[in-house]
């Protein structure tokens, strides 16, 4: 049963405790990465056989396989995928940045170029569930950014295939290449390249502990989006919220993973008790009851605050991945929320909208990192290059100042590089 904690009556360490996965996979992942770097495709085939229990003839998904998968997906679901893709495109198009130029002073031009990375790698999880939504959320911003080549990896099933819905989503999103790869070995292949898999510049997408550790270890060779932890939801609700709805929303994240955390923060004792009872009523209705039960019992909590303002302060300290404002006038509170990955406004905006259809991205900062990081966006797939142009006359106006500054730092060669161009005039 989910526990109820009274803020101010229990230790803050209980209120703000986080899920801390104890599995240590650092050495295992390091060995996998080293093997892939040394042996390339040979290592990938061996890991597919070992971990995915399938012997592949080829790593790459063929155009024929994609077309066959597309034909296999029900028409109604293809319609929903296209609707979701259009909503995601519409939202992310607004994130595009433009290059700029400054030429307000005589003889001086400065600017910034916004340039997409050459190649982006998308990791799409497999295993207990297939997530076509992740394909759309990760691939569409990359294509909007102008990335020339988007490479996707996803683990095959024992039939040697990637689920048809994943391949259909990839086609709709415009993915350029797809490989049957999962786990740390897939991250290593994207980071270093093999005979079949091209090396990428950035890797994005969620995964298990092995994938997260692999992304951590290859960072620096490539860029990554984030080190994602277990999924989180925090519902901030007052006494007017419907306990049935709140319980359903908490369980929507609890069913993801036994390590997921579902938190309610409220100023109402009555709502806290009702939601606790409602969760117990709804749990047996879930197909993933065992997973959700473990999440709720081990990581779930209801925090009763003295007032809603205190609830907002608690929310900002937790900095949740997903935040629902289950109140009548949510825009009254929006400016007070400083730390959250994605905010769902009002009583009719369940977090599941953001997972699938609304448009904002669902690849979000977890484990409190919303205090300093952002959702996946078009910005993740571009880099900025700056440039500067000075005429001789413009340089002459500032050369002595540059030299003076440089000498203050003890860098006389820097100083001379600014003044040497005018020595013949003296």
């Amino acid at each position: 049963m989910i526990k109820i904690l009274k803020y101010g009556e229990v230790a803050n360490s209980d209120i703000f405790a986080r899920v801390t996965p104890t599995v240590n996979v650092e050495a295992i992942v390091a060995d996998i990465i080293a093997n892939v770097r040394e042996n390339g495709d040979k290592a990938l085939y061996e890991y597919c056989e070992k971990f995915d229990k399938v012997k592949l003839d080829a790593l790459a998904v063929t155009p024929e396989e994609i077309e066959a998968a597309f034909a296999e997906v029900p028409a109604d679901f293809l319609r929903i995928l296209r609707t979701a893709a259009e909503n995601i495109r519409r939202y992310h198009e607004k994130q595009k940045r433009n290059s700029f130029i400054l030429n307000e002073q005589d003889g001086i031009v400065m600017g910034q170029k916004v340039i997409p990375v050459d190649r982006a790698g998308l990791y799409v999880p497999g295993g207990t569930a297939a997530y076509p939504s992740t394909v759309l959320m990760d691939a569409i911003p990359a294509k909007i950014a102008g990335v020339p080549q988007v490479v996707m990896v996803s683990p095959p099933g024992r039939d040697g295939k990637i689920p048809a819905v994943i391949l259909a989503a990839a086609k709709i999103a415009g993915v350029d290449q797809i490989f049957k790869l999962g786990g740390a070995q897939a991250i290593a292949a994207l980071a270093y390249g093999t005979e079949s898999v091209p090396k990428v510049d950035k890797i994005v997408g969620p995964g298990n502990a092995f994938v997260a550790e692999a992304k951590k270890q290859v960072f620096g060779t490539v860029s990554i989006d984030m080190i994602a932890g277990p999924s989180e939801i925090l519902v901030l609700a007052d006494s007017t919220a419907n306990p049935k709805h709140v319980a359903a929303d908490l369980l929507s994240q609890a069913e993801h993973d036994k390590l997921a955390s579902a938190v309610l923060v409220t100023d109402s004792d009555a709502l806290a008790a009702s939601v606790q009872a409602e969760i117990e009523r709804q749990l047996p209705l879930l197909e993933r009851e065992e997973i959700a039960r473990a999440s709720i019992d081990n990581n779930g909590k209801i925090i009763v605050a003295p007032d809603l303002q205190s609830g907002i302060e608690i929310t900002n300290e937790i900095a949740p991945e997903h935040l629902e404002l289950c109140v009548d006038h949510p825009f009254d509170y929006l400016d007070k929320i400083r730390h959250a990955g994605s905010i769902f406004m009002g009583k009719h905006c369940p977090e599941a909208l953001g997972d699938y259809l609304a448009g904002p991205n669902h690849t979000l900062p977890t484990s409190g990192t919303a205090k300093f990081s952002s959702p996946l966006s078009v910005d993740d797939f571009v880099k900025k290059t700056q440039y500067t142009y000075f005429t001789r006359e413009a340089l002459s106006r500032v050369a002595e100042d540059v030299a003076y500054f440089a000498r203050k730092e003890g860098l006389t060669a820097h100083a001379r590089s600014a003044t040497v161009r005018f020595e013949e005039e003296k």
Side-chain angles (χ1 to χ4, degrees):
M1 181 176 290
I2 195 168
K3 51 187 174 287
I4 297 178
L5 306 175
K6 286 266 196 169
Y7 185 64
E9 296 182 12
V10 299
N12 278 358
S13 58
D14 292 331
I15 296 290
F16 299 115
R18 290 195 178 278
V19 179
T20 53
T22 55
V23 57
N24 186 352
V25 298
E26 184 177 349
I28 297 171
V29 168
D31 286 344
I32 291 172
I33 292 173
N35 189 14
V36 172
R37 289 187 70 179
E38 182 177 350
N39 296 303
D41 282 0
K42 179 175 181 290
L44 296 179
Y45 282 113
E46 289 172 353
Y47 285 130
C48 276
E49 198 165 352
K50 179 178 180 180
F51 296 130
D52 302 313
K53 309 301 182 187
V54 60
K55 191 168 185 176
L56 296 176
D57 295 324
L59 297 171
V61 177
T62 65
E64 292 75 20
E65 288 177 287
I66 295 171
E67 291 302 323
F70 202 79
E72 184 182 326
V73 176
D76 280 348
F77 190 58
L78 287 176
R79 174 185 58 79
I80 293 169
L81 283 175
R82 290 190 177 103
T83 299
E86 180 55 34
N87 291 343
I88 294 164
R89 284 192 187 97
R90 185 182 302 113
Y91 180 84
H92 288 79
E93 283 281 356
K94 296 294 185 182
Q95 297 177 337
K96 289 177 71 173
R97 292 178 181 264
N98 295 317
S99 301
F100 65 80
I101 186 169
L102 295 173
N103 56 359
E104 298 164 354
Q105 301 179 62
D106 287 344
I108 300 174
V109 180
M110 294 177 288
Q112 177 177 277
K113 292 172 59 180
V114 179
I115 308 165
V117 299
D118 290 337
R119 193 179 286 124
L122 315 181
Y123 186 90
V124 178
T128 57
Y131 296 113
S133 57
T134 296
V135 180
L136 301 180
M137 292 289 180
D138 290 356
I140 290 173
K143 299 307 286 187
I144 289 172
V147 177
Q149 192 173 14
V150 175
V151 181
M152 188 182 94
V153 294
S154 192
R158 296 195 178 186
D159 59 357
K161 298 179 180 180
I162 293 174
V165 290
I166 298 291
L167 296 182
K171 180 177 179 179
I172 289 170
V175 173
D176 298 292
Q177 286 182 285
I178 306 171
F179 294 92
K180 301 172 185 178
L181 291 170
Q185 60 273 22
I187 301 300
L190 291 173
Y192 297 102
T194 71
E195 298 91 330
S196 298
V197 184
K199 180 188 185 310
V200 303
D201 302 300
K202 179 142 194 176
I203 300 173
V204 306
N208 61 18
F210 291 89
V211 170
E213 177 62 30
K215 287 170 70 178
K216 181 179 177 182
Q217 290 190 26
V218 301
F219 176 66
T221 298
V222 293
S223 178
I224 62 171
D225 52 351
M226 62 188 77
I227 306 294
S231 190
E232 309 161 345
I233 187 172
L234 189 152
V235 178
L236 180 64
D238 59 19
S239 60
T240 67
N242 185 320
K244 182 177 181 180
H245 300 170
V246 173
D249 292 355
L250 292 171
L251 289 171
S252 74
Q253 290 304 293
E255 73 172 350
H256 262 303
D257 186 337
K258 291 181 179 181
L259 295 176
S261 64
V263 178
L264 167 64
V265 177
T266 182
D267 59 350
S268 168
D269 288 299
L271 181 71
S274 297
V275 170
Q276 184 185 54
E278 188 63 33
I279 287 173
E280 291 302 307
R281 189 191 72 78
Q282 292 186 29
L283 267 168
L285 307 177
L286 304 179
E287 289 184 12
R288 294 165 68 94
E289 178 187 1
E290 180 187 357
I291 292 171
R293 166 63 71 187
S295 167
I296 288 294
D297 288 353
N298 298 328
N299 312 318
K301 61 184 108 172
I302 298 173
I303 301 168
V304 181
D307 50 58
L308 214 55
Q309 179 56 42
S310 299
I312 290 170
E313 292 168 5
I314 293 166
T315 299
N316 280 328
E317 180 60 29
I318 292 174
E321 177 188 17
H322 307 96
L323 168 62
E324 288 188 8
L325 294 180
C326 250
V327 293
D328 283 329
H329 304 287
F331 286 95
D332 292 348
Y333 303 94
L334 181 58
D335 286 346
K336 297 177 181 178
I337 301 298
R338 291 182 50 78
H339 306 305
S342 193
I343 305 174
F344 300 85
M345 309 282 288
K347 297 177 179 177
H348 306 291
C349 193
E351 182 276 329
L353 269 174
D355 274 349
Y356 303 117
L357 210 67
N361 211 281
H362 80 190
T363 301
L364 303 169
T366 62
S367 307
T369 60
K371 285 188 175 182
F372 53 81
S373 56
S374 308
L376 188 77
S377 73
V378 172
D379 283 347
D380 282 286
F381 298 99
V382 299
K383 58 190 179 69
K384 293 93 175 177
T385 296
Q386 58 191 30
Y387 59 90
T388 306
Y389 169 80
F390 272 55
T391 63
R392 177 182 175 81
E393 182 182 348
L395 176 60
S396 71
R397 297 196 298 264
V398 299
E400 290 299 333
D401 288 348
V402 172
Y404 187 83
F405 207 139
R407 286 192 291 270
K408 280 294 183 183
E409 293 190 346
L411 300 174
T412 54
H414 280 65
R416 188 166 184 276
S417 74
T419 59
V420 68
R421 290 165 172 78
F422 307 100
E423 286 180 352
E424 67 274 16
E425 298 177 4
K426 296 182 180 178

